Amino acid sequence: MAKNITQFSIFLGSPSDLDTERTEINNIISELNISYASRNSINLDLIKWETHSAPGISQTYTQDLINKDIGDDYDIFIGMIWQKFGTKTEVANSGTEEEFLRAVKRFKSGENLQILFYFKTVPPLSLDQINIEELNRINNFKEILKENNILYWNFNTVEELKTLLRMHIPRRIDDLNSKANYNISKEVAEIENNLQEKDELLETKDDFGLLDYIFQLEDYLADSNIALTNISESTVKIGEDLQKKAEEITRISKLPNPNKITVIEYFKRTSKSINDYSDRIKLETPNFYDNFEEAINVGLKYLSLIDKDNINDNYESLKGTYESVSALKENIPSAINGMIGFYNETIKLPNIQSDLNKSKRNLMKQLEELIFKLKKTFELTNEFQGQIEYKLTLYTDESEEM
């Protein structure tokens, strides 16, 4: 039997250096169709030139051929840029920019459309891969985004992008859905085929419910906090140890004729202490961040099961989750500041012996990675908190309605 389904199409535009991300977005759309869309009588369709265009010849220019194949029948434009800006077209500085400008024109003409734009910020593996001209074009394009009131986001890894899209796409679909009066019987026959594929995917998924996701969320957050606690305790210990060793190094350096073997041996022991701490940071940083990222992803699946029909029954648990996430968000800045302070103290260690210098350089590398992950944690926590706030707005106090 045909179901009344609202279809939303999502167009993906990007230059050629983001092939991995483009592939993974297919998986995100499939996942959202199962976790979010099916509960809201929605189907999400991803449009890409790879699947919705074909080889051919144009009387004008190549991008125009793609434009005609793709058309303008999509609801969300997702744009991504990394190191390349793309090939210039007849009407824009790249194909991606031309696709973006077409979407902006539709929005300004009053169409119910949303634009999500993301910039990959991870540096290239080699300086030889940096193209200053491309970077300038990208920076100029960011100014165009600002001029058109586009709020864009940065990401560093594919997993981070996937997490962001799990949050952003449902939010913007809800916005579109609330503003439009869609014909819910649109292309029912085609959508039934998609639903059949979706049902096949559902058969391979665990039948998790709200409580399952809450328990998973708590477990991942607990594991993440254990790793962060281990890092904090190790940092306090190494800080005290380095302070004592720094004082001893200063004392030895002032001796009139210090024993060379004794001095070198002392530097090696100091270097070993630093290396042991660096190894602990290297081990615990992924434990901390990977578990945190999993917690966010599970939390998003939990939120996808909450809608206006069951929010009242789940309000208290959702509010408890919100309070826990808010407490986590408040604590992260102090952790960041603490690690930055330790990093600055590490820089002050004297460059007076090769073993010590190597250990110092390795430690700074590990601390930079940890600080970066802590900052990303804060950003994701802030995003997740916003998603919970949005769900809480669905709550209606039944006592006030009586």
Side-chain angles (χ1 to χ4, degrees), residues 197-215:
E197 294 175 2
K198 187 193 307 178
D199 290 338
E200 292 173 357
L201 287 171
L202 279 169
E203 292 177 359
T204 65
K205 299 292 180 179
D206 292 328
D207 191 18
F208 271 29
L210 286 165
L211 285 178
D212 299 299
Y213 287 130
I214 291 175
F215 293 152

Side-chain angles (χ1 to χ4, degrees), residues 10 25-34 44-46 169:
I10 300 172
I25 288 178
N26 283 331
N27 299 329
I28 288 296
I29 298 302
S30 297
E31 176 188 311
L32 288 174
N33 269 325
I34 295 171
L44 304 180
D45 177 39
L46 182 63
I169 291 176

Side-chain angles (χ1 to χ4, degrees), residues 8 13 24 57 59 66 78 96 111 114 131 136 138 160 163 169 199 212 233 238 241 271 308-309 345 354 363 375 393:
F8 289 90
E24 285 298 326
I57 186 170
Q59 293 181 339
I66 296 175
I78 296 180
T96 302
E111 291 191 45
Q114 269 294 341
N131 186 315
N136 288 334
I138 292 170
E160 186 181 337
T163 299
I169 291 176
D199 290 338
D212 299 299
E233 292 176 350
I238 189 64
D241 190 33
S271 176
K308 63 179 182 300
D309 295 325
E345 289 300 316
S354 60
L363 174 56
K375 290 180 178 179
T393 62

Side-chain angles (χ1 to χ4, degrees), residues 44-162:
L44 304 180
D45 177 39
L46 182 63
I47 299 174
K48 304 191 297 181
W49 69 265
E50 299 100 311
T51 54
H52 289 70
S53 187
I57 186 170
S58 172
Q59 293 181 339
T60 53
Y61 58 101
T62 305
Q63 181 62 42
D64 188 51
L65 184 67
I66 296 175
N67 293 341
K68 291 176 180 177
D69 286 341
I70 298 297
D72 290 325
D73 190 22
Y74 59 83
D75 307 284
I76 290 182
F77 174 90
I78 296 180
M80 300 186 300
I81 288 178
W82 184 23
Q83 299 176 76
K84 295 182 179 179
F85 191 62
T87 304
K88 190 172 183 179
T89 73
E90 294 291 325
V91 298
N93 289 316
S94 72
T96 302
E97 183 180 41
E98 181 171 339
E99 291 160 351
F100 162 76
L101 292 174
R102 287 168 61 88
V104 170
K105 183 178 179 181
R106 289 178 56 201
F107 177 82
K108 291 185 175 180
S109 69
E111 291 191 45
N112 195 24
L113 174 80
Q114 269 294 341
I115 297 175
L116 284 67
F117 221 102
Y118 301 88
F119 290 90
K120 186 173 182 177
T121 55
V122 63
L125 296 176
S126 170
L127 292 177
D128 295 336
Q129 296 177 313
I130 297 177
N131 186 315
I132 300 300
E133 182 180 348
E134 289 287 275
L135 288 178
N136 288 334
R137 295 170 70 195
I138 292 170
N139 288 330
N140 291 336
F141 180 67
K142 287 182 178 180
E143 293 302 316
I144 294 176
L145 293 180
K146 293 177 183 178
E147 291 170 3
N148 285 281
N149 301 318
I150 306 293
L151 177 63
Y152 59 82
W153 234 252
N154 296 324
F155 71 97
N156 204 59
T157 65
V158 173
E159 288 303 316
E160 186 181 337
L161 174 65
K162 290 164 65 177

Side-chain angles (χ1 to χ4, degrees), residues 3 63 129 251 279 361:
K3 296 176 67 175
Q63 181 62 42
Q129 296 177 313
R251 186 188 68 79
D279 290 343
R361 185 166 59 250

Side-chain angles (χ1 to χ4, degrees), residues 245-307:
K245 284 182 167 56
E247 292 172 354
E248 184 63 16
I249 290 173
T250 301
R251 186 188 68 79
I252 293 175
S253 65
K254 293 181 179 179
L255 294 176
N257 295 302
N259 184 283
K260 180 180 178 181
I261 296 177
T262 302
V263 172
I264 292 177
E265 184 63 30
Y266 196 84
F267 281 140
K268 287 185 176 181
R269 289 202 303 271
T270 303
S271 176
K272 183 179 184 306
S273 296
I274 295 175
N275 287 335
D276 289 345
Y277 173 70
S278 296
D279 290 343
R280 188 60 182 269
I281 296 297
K282 188 175 182 179
L283 173 67
E284 297 291 1
T285 296
N287 286 340
F288 154 69
Y289 188 75
D290 291 351
N291 277 293
F292 172 80
E293 200 168 44
E294 285 298 325
I296 293 295
N297 290 334
V298 168
L300 291 173
K301 293 176 182 178
Y302 161 57
L303 291 183
S304 72
L305 297 178
I306 297 179
D307 53 32

Side-chain angles (χ1 to χ4, degrees), residues 217-397:
L217 174 63
E218 292 174 348
D219 289 343
Y220 280 126
L221 285 178
D223 290 341
S224 181
N225 285 328
I226 289 173
L228 192 57
T229 298
N230 291 337
I231 291 172
S232 299
E233 292 176 350
S234 298
T235 303
V236 171
K237 183 178 179 180
I238 189 64
E240 295 172 348
D241 190 33
L242 287 182
Q243 184 176 357
K244 294 177 181 177
K245 284 182 167 56
E247 292 172 354
E248 184 63 16
I249 290 173
T250 301
R251 186 188 68 79
I252 293 175
S253 65
K254 293 181 179 179
L255 294 176
N257 295 302
N259 184 283
K260 180 180 178 181
I261 296 177
T262 302
V263 172
I264 292 177
E265 184 63 30
Y266 196 84
F267 281 140
K268 287 185 176 181
R269 289 202 303 271
T270 303
S271 176
K272 183 179 184 306
S273 296
I274 295 175
N275 287 335
D276 289 345
Y277 173 70
S278 296
D279 290 343
R280 188 60 182 269
I281 296 297
K282 188 175 182 179
L283 173 67
E284 297 291 1
T285 296
N287 286 340
F288 154 69
Y289 188 75
D290 291 351
N291 277 293
F292 172 80
E293 200 168 44
E294 285 298 325
I296 293 295
N297 290 334
V298 168
L300 291 173
K301 293 176 182 178
Y302 161 57
L303 291 183
S304 72
L305 297 178
I306 297 179
D307 53 32
K308 63 179 182 300
D309 295 325
N310 63 15
I311 179 62
N312 284 26
D313 294 334
N314 296 285
Y315 178 76
E316 291 302 325
S317 64
L318 186 60
K319 186 177 179 182
T321 302
Y322 177 79
E323 291 171 352
S324 298
V325 171
S326 298
L328 173 64
K329 179 183 172 183
E330 290 178 3
N331 291 330
I332 294 175
S334 62
I336 294 173
N337 292 333
M339 297 312 300
I340 290 176
F342 184 65
Y343 179 86
N344 291 334
E345 289 300 316
T346 302
I347 294 177
K348 297 178 184 178
L349 290 174
N351 296 319
I352 55 178
Q353 197 271 337
S354 60
D355 292 318
L356 190 61
N357 294 346
K358 291 177 183 177
S359 299
K360 173 185 173 181
R361 185 166 59 250
N362 183 42
L363 174 56
M364 291 177 66
K365 178 182 178 182
Q366 299 305 324
L367 289 175
E368 287 169 358
E369 176 68 12
L370 174 58
I371 292 169
F372 173 79
K373 293 297 188 183
L374 284 168
K375 290 180 178 179
K376 300 308 295 184
T377 300
F378 181 80
E379 293 175 5
L380 288 176
T381 303
N382 188 56
E383 281 282 301
F384 186 51
Q385 183 187 46
Q387 295 299 312
I388 300 175
E389 288 175 348
Y390 171 70
K391 290 292 183 177
L392 288 172
T393 62
L394 301 177
Y395 174 75
T396 56
D397 191 336

